[in-house]
C-alpha cells in the first residue's frame, strides 16, 4: 500500500537586534552564563516589559520578504507553561493576532518549482538554555538567551518529503540572510526548527496524527530525523498499528539514529493563552510598511536570474553561489573588480569550497566568513592570465593565500613560483626530457599522438609546474618534428 508523507515546519529565527525584546540587555552570543540578564528578562515581581520597536521592524521586513500580509493591528499574548529555563513560567508570544499572516516560499526540487504556503509569522521571546551535567546528575541554567527576540515562521503542511523540507529550510534561511533579518548561524542556534510529520494513504485529504520533532538546527540532522520518523510511521501503518502513533513531541537522538519521545504534545487550549496585560496592542502604519519595503535588498530568486543572465553561469553553479549570502557577496565583489565571471566561479566552487570544508566540516550548514579578500583572488586570476604562473601553480598559491592571508605576488616571489617563459631555458629542459624518453619519441613517430601528451606531462613535472604551457607545447612540437623527420 502506498503512503504519502505530510510535513510542516515551525522555524524560529533570532532577530539581529542588539538588545532583547522587552529590556535593554545585550543579545550577544557566547557571553559568560547569566551575564546578560536583568530583573525584567528574569521575570522578577514588579517589573514591566517595554517592546523593542526594532523587533517589530524586523518582523515586518521578514514578512514582506516572504510575501505575507502585515497585520496593522496585532498584540502580544501570554503562553503559559512551566519549564526550568522559562523564569516567568509563561512565554510572551502572539496567538490569534500575529504580526504577519499568509505568505509563501517558492522552492526548487527535482528541477521543478513548488510553492510552500506559510500560515503566519509571529514575534516572541526566547527561553533560556539548560546545560545537563550527566556525570553529576544535575542541570545548570543559563538565562542569557531569555528574552532574545524571535520570529516564528509557521508553514502549512505542504511538504511531501524530507528533501522538500530541507530545501524549504535552506531557501528560507537564504531569504532571511539576504533581507538582513537574522544572521541564521545554525551552529549558534540562531535559526532552528520543529518539524511536524504525519503519514496518510495516497488519495486521502485528511491530516492524520502528527508527531513534532523538536529543536533541530542542522540541515543534515533535519534530513535524517525526518527520514527515520517517516520510516517508523510507515512501518506502523503497514502493519495496521497506526494507533500507536500519538500526538507527541519527540527529539532526534543522532547517536542512536532515531526519534525518542519527550512528552505529549499540547493543544492551544493547554497553554491558556490570554492577552498580555502589561503591553498595549501593536499598531502599524502603512507608511511604516512602505518605508521598510523600500530598504529590502535584492532577494535570492532575483539575484539568481541576474547572475545567469549577466555572468553566463549554469543554473546549478548560480544555485550554489547564491544559496549563501557570504559566498555570493564574495563572488560579486571579485567580479566587480574586473575578474572573468567564469574564472571566479571555478575558483569559488572548486578550491574555495573545498578549503572552507576542511576548516569547518559544517560549512555546508552556512558560511559565516571567508578569510580571503576578493582583491586577493582577483590578483591571482590576473597573474595567471598574464602568464606569470600556471593554473597548476595557481592552486598552490590559492591555498597559501587562504591559509595565511598573504598576497599572491608575495607568495610567488617568496617561493620562486614564477612561470618559465624564457625560450632558451625551456628548450634546454625539453631536450633533456626527450633524451630521457626515446620510447615516447618512437611511439609518436609511429602514429601515437598521446605520446606527446605524456612528454608534455614530463616537461611540467621537470619544471615543477612552472613551464609556460603554451610556449612549452610549441617548442615540444618543433623538437618532435625535428627528431621524427
Amino acid at each position: 500500500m502506498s503512503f504519502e508523507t505530510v510535513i510542516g515546519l515551525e522555524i524560529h529565527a533570532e532577530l539581529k537586534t542588539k538588545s532583547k525584546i522587552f529590556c535593554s540587555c545585550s543579545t550577544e552570543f557566547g557571553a559568560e552564563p547569566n551575564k546578560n540578564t536583568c530583573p525584567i528578562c528574569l521575570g522578577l515581581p514588579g517589573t514591566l516589559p517595554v517592546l523593542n520597536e526594532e523587533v517589530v521592524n524586523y518582523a515586518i521586513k521578514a514578512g514582506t520578504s516572504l510575501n505575507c500580509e502585515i497585520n496593522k493591528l496585532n498584540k502580544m499574548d501570554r503562553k503559559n507553561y512551566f519549564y526550568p529555563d522559562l523564569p516567568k513560567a509563561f512565554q510572551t508570544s502572539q496567538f490569534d493576532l500575529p504580526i504577519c499572516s499568509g505568505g509563501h516560499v517558492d522552492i526548487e526540487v527535482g528541477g521543478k518549482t513548488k510553492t510552500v504556503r506559510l500560515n503566519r509569522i509571529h514575534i516572541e521571546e526566547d527561553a533560556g538554555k539548560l546545560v545537563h551535567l550527566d556525570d553529576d546528575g544535575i542541570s545548570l541554567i543559563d538565562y542569557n538567551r531569555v528574552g532574545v527576540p524571535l520570529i516564528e515562521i509557521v508553514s502549512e503542511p505542504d511538504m511531501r518529503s524530507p528533501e522538500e523540507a530541507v530545501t524549504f529550510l535552506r531557501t528560507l534561511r537564504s531569504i532571511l540572510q539576504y533581507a538582513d533579518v537574522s544572521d541564521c548561524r545554525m551552529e549558534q542556534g540562531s535559526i532552528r526548527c520543529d518539524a511536524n510529520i504525519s503519514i496518510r494513504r495516497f488519495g486521502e485529504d485528511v491530516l492524520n496524527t502528527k508527531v513534532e520533532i523538536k529543536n533541530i538546527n542542522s540541515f543534515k540532522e533535519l534530513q535524517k530525523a525526518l527520514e527515520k520518523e517517516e520510516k517508523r510511521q510507515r512501518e506502523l501503518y503497514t502493519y495496521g498499528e497506526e494507533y500507536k502513533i500519538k500526538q507527541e513531541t519527540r527529539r532526534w537522538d543522532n547517536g542512536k539514529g532515531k526519534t525518542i519521545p519527550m512528552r505529549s504534545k499540547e493543544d492551544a487550549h493547554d497553554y491558556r493563552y490570554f492577552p498580555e496585560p502589561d503591553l498595549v496592542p501593536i499598531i502599524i502604519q502603512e507608511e511604516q510598511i512602505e518605508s521598510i519595503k523600500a530598504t529590502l535588498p535584492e532577494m535570492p530568486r532575483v539575484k539568481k536570474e541576474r547572475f545567469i543572465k549577466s555572468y553566463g553561469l549554469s543554473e546549478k553553479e548560480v544555485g550554489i553561489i547564491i544559496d549563501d549570502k557570504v559566498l555570493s557577496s564574495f563572488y560579486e565583489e571579485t567580479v566587480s573588480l574586473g575578474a572573468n565571471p567564469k574564472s571566479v566561479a571555478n575558483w569559488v566552487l572548486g578550491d574555495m569550497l573545498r578549503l572552507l570544508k576542511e576548516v569547518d566540516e559544517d560549512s555546508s550548514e552556512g558560511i559565516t566568513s571567508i578569510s580571503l579578500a576578493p582583491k586577493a583572488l582577483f590578483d591571482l586570476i590576473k597573474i595567471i592570465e598574464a602568464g606569470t604562473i600556471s593554473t597548476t601553480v595557481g592552486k598552490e598559491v590559492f591555498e597559501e593565500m587562504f591559509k595565511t592571508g598573504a598576497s599572491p605576488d608575495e607568495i610567488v616571489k617568496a617561493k620562486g613560483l614564477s612561470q618559465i617563459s624564457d625560450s632558451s631555458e625551456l628548450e634546454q629542459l625539453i631536450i633533456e626530457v626527450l633524451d630521457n624518453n626515446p620510447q615516447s619519441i618512437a611511439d609518436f613517430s609511429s602514429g601515437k599522438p598521446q605520446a606527446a601528451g605524456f612528454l608534455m606531462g614530463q616537461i611540467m613535472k621537470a619544471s615543477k609546474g612552472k613551464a609556460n604551457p603554451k610556449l612549452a607545447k610549441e617548442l615540444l612540437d618543433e623538437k618532435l618534428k625535428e627528431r621524427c623527420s
Side-chain angles (χ1 to χ4, degrees), residues 241-481:
E241 297 181 327
E242 58 264 37
Y243 63 89
K244 292 183 178 179
I245 300 174
K246 296 179 171 58
Q247 183 170 312
E248 63 183 353
T249 298
R250 300 173 75 92
R251 69 177 177 85
W252 167 243
D253 190 316
N254 184 40
K256 295 180 179 178
K258 62 180 182 180
T259 62
I260 296 173
M262 290 175 64
R263 58 181 179 269
S264 61
K265 175 63 178 172
E266 299 88 346
D267 288 314
H269 64 264
D270 294 318
Y271 290 118
R272 295 178 293 113
Y273 281 102
F274 64 84
E276 170 56 67
D278 292 334
L279 290 166
V280 298
I282 301 168
I283 299 173
I284 299 170
Q285 304 295 332
E286 183 63 33
E287 294 78 11
Q288 184 180 0
I289 298 172
E290 292 303 319
S291 174
I292 290 170
K293 274 185 182 179
T295 67
L296 282 176
E298 185 179 43
M299 289 290 106
R301 180 171 285 272
V302 177
K303 188 180 283 285
K304 181 178 182 179
E305 292 173 359
R306 181 171 63 81
F307 272 31
I308 292 172
K309 184 178 179 180
S310 301
Y311 302 137
L313 305 181
S314 71
E315 193 166 330
K316 183 178 179 181
E317 289 172 327
V318 173
I320 296 171
I321 291 171
I322 68 158
D323 183 55
D324 193 286
K325 184 182 178 183
V326 174
L327 197 64
S328 70
S329 295
F330 179 92
Y331 173 83
E332 192 145 40
E333 283 182 46
T334 308
V335 172
S336 69
L337 293 170
N340 180 281
K342 187 65 177 177
S343 296
V344 179
N346 290 340
W347 284 105
V348 167
L349 297 174
D351 294 74
M352 176 173 284
L353 287 184
R354 174 181 61 82
L355 290 168
L356 284 169
K357 190 170 182 180
E358 287 179 8
V359 172
D360 180 7
E361 290 185 3
D362 289 330
S363 61
S364 60
E365 303 293 334
I367 298 167
T368 55
S369 63
I370 297 174
S371 59
L372 195 67
K375 178 69 163 57
L377 178 55
F378 168 73
D379 289 341
L380 176 63
I381 292 171
K382 193 165 63 173
I383 63 175
I384 291 173
E385 290 175 346
T388 306
I389 60 173
S390 66
T391 302
T392 303
V393 172
K395 288 180 175 294
E396 180 185 341
V397 174
F398 183 88
E399 191 159 339
E400 187 73 15
M401 287 163 50
F402 187 88
K403 292 177 179 177
T404 66
S407 73
D409 288 332
E410 291 171 339
I411 295 167
V412 169
K413 185 176 180 181
K415 294 195 169 188
L417 298 174
S418 293
Q419 194 162 259
I420 302 171
S421 296
D422 182 86
S423 297
S424 57
E425 187 177 351
L426 272 179
E427 189 173 349
Q428 184 59 43
L429 189 148
I430 290 168
I431 290 171
E432 291 176 9
V433 168
L434 292 175
D435 289 343
N436 292 331
N437 293 277
Q439 184 58 50
S440 294
I441 298 173
D443 289 342
F444 180 81
S445 183
S446 63
K448 296 180 179 178
Q450 61 267 32
F454 170 79
L455 290 168
M456 190 65 192
Q458 294 302 301
I459 293 167
M460 296 307 294
K461 184 178 179 181
S463 69
K464 297 180 180 178
K466 293 193 287 182
N468 183 313
K470 184 180 178 183
L471 181 58
K473 188 176 183 311
E474 290 173 357
L475 292 172
L476 174 62
D477 289 344
E478 288 179 14
K479 294 300 175 186
L480 280 174
K481 283 181 183 177

Side-chain angles (χ1 to χ4, degrees), residues 205-220:
D205 58 3
V206 297
L207 292 175
N208 290 327
T209 303
K210 68 180 179 182
V211 166
E212 179 188 51
I213 309 173
K214 199 74 175 170
N215 282 338
I216 306 171
N217 64 346
S218 158
F219 298 125
K220 290 184 290 187

Side-chain angles (χ1 to χ4, degrees), residues 43-87:
L44 299 185
T47 59
L48 288 172
V50 176
L51 179 61
N52 184 340
E53 186 179 359
E54 278 301 289
V55 172
V56 175
N57 291 335
Y58 275 124
I60 294 171
K61 200 172 187 182
T64 303
S65 304
L66 296 169
N67 311 292
C68 301
E69 178 185 349
I70 310 301
N71 297 316
K72 294 175 183 175
L73 174 63
N74 57 99
K75 64 181 174 65
M76 304 304 299
D77 299 277
R78 289 190 181 184
K79 181 181 182 182
N80 298 274
Y81 65 96
F82 175 76
Y83 207 65
D85 59 7
L86 197 67

